[in-house]
Amino acid sequence: KQEVTQIPAALSVPEGENLVLNCSFTDSAIYNLQWFRQDPGKGLTSLLLIQSSQREQTSGRLNASLDKSSGRSTLYIAASQPGDSATYLCASPSNTGKLIFGQGTTLQVKP
Amino acid sequence: GAVVSQHPSRVICKSGTSVKIECRSLDFQATTMFWYRQFPKKSLMLMATSNEGSKATYEQGVEKDKFLINHASLTLSTLTVTSAHPEDSSFYICSAREIKGTNYGYTFGSGTRLTVV
């Protein structure tokens, strides 16, 4: 049974800093892994989707990596901005198609 | 990219009434949609999986008679909260799975804040 974990639960950094958010999973037979962002009171916005055959995906200042052998994915945010403040969630589908979420990392970027 | 539209974004209703929430995939067909509930500062809790043309699959502990799900077309799923009570007040979010060849990803709606008074 797939389990997804995110550490830390919260992170506060000064503006401009590069940062890494961590996501680990227990079942290396992963189909794909998706990173989402959630702002307070809002739905989830998909940031990056990494298929099992891929090692990383990039979108603007965001880069997500996938290492199946170690059961880890990272989300790298370059030159962080206050607008990046949000909760970041990683998730992977189970074999029934249900998304298994990590607990999320709440990021605060201070001006 | 894939877009999922969820309406209404906010709704206030009286106890005992029913509320319908719509979830539409705008630019893709979704044979499977998912309904979640989220409590303040908590992670999403999956309520049910909505399958086009068939009955929804509910998670353990979710009352199927209270949370009616209909997925009558490939682009629309609805969640009806029947005989709503204040404890049903919550943030409800839908998600649709977009399949492209052998790959797929999930797109979420913007959520519905339900307040039962």
Side-chain angles (χ1 to χ4, degrees):
Chain A
K1 178 184 176 184
Q2 181 72 279
E3 293 181 8
V4 180
T5 305
Q6 289 183 252
I7 296 174
L11 182 64
S12 181
V13 300
E15 181 178 4
E17 192 165 296
N18 302 325
L19 60 102
V20 174
L21 305 181
N22 296 298
C23 173
S24 60
F25 47 91
T26 55
D27 187 356
S28 61
I30 197 168
Y31 191 80
N32 62 40
L33 190 134
Q34 204 162 350
W35 282 92
F36 297 92
R37 166 183 174 147
Q38 186 175 30
D39 293 282
K42 304 293 183 182
L44 274 66
T45 300
S46 180
L47 298 174
L48 290 164
L49 168 63
I50 312 176
Q51 300 297 338
S52 175
S53 59
Q54 298 173 325
R55 304 207 68 162
E56 65 176 345
Q57 284 285 323
T58 298
S59 176
R61 294 183 293 109
L62 306 179
N63 176 278
S65 68
L66 177 64
D67 184 344
K68 293 189 294 182
S69 62
S70 66
R72 292 183 179 179
S73 175
T74 61
L75 179 66
Y76 175 82
I77 302 177
S80 59
Q81 303 171 357
D84 294 330
S85 299
T87 296
Y88 290 82
L89 296 154
C90 65
S92 183
S94 68
N95 54 11
T96 61
K98 300 176 188 178
L99 265 182
I100 309 298
F101 283 94
Q103 302 92 329
T105 295
T106 298
L107 172 66
Q108 182 183 31
V109 180
K110 297 181 177 179
Chain B
V3 177
V4 170
S5 175
Q6 184 174 343
H7 291 283
S9 58
R10 292 178 178 273
V11 58
I12 300 173
C13 70
K14 293 183 178 181
S15 287
T17 62
S18 296
V19 173
K20 180 184 285 188
I21 303 171
E22 291 189 348
C23 181
R24 293 180 184 273
S25 58
L26 296 187
D27 48 2
F28 66 99
Q29 294 182 331
T31 56
T32 306
M33 292 186 176
F34 304 87
W35 286 96
Y36 295 84
R37 183 173 180 175
Q38 188 175 35
F39 294 99
K41 298 189 177 182
K42 298 291 185 182
S43 190
L44 282 76
M45 181 188 77
L46 180 64
M47 298 175 64
T49 301
S50 172
N51 302 296
E52 187 269 333
S54 64
K55 292 182 179 181
T57 304
Y58 290 81
E59 295 299 301
Q60 192 172 10
V62 178
E63 299 177 59
K64 59 180 68 176
D65 293 331
K66 180 165 191 61
F67 298 100
L68 298 179
I69 291 173
N70 183 277
H71 194 156
S73 78
L74 287 172
T75 59
L76 175 64
S77 176
T78 61
L79 167 67
T80 300
V81 183
T82 63
S83 186
H85 291 286
E87 57 265 31
D88 298 325
S89 298
S90 193
F91 191 58
Y92 294 87
I93 309 175
C94 71
S95 170
R97 185 169 65 182
E98 180 187 17
I99 299 176
K100 291 183 178 180
T102 57
N103 297 325
Y104 61 84
Y106 296 79
T107 302
F108 284 77
S110 54
T112 297
R113 172 72 60 192
L114 170 63
T115 303
V116 184
V117 297

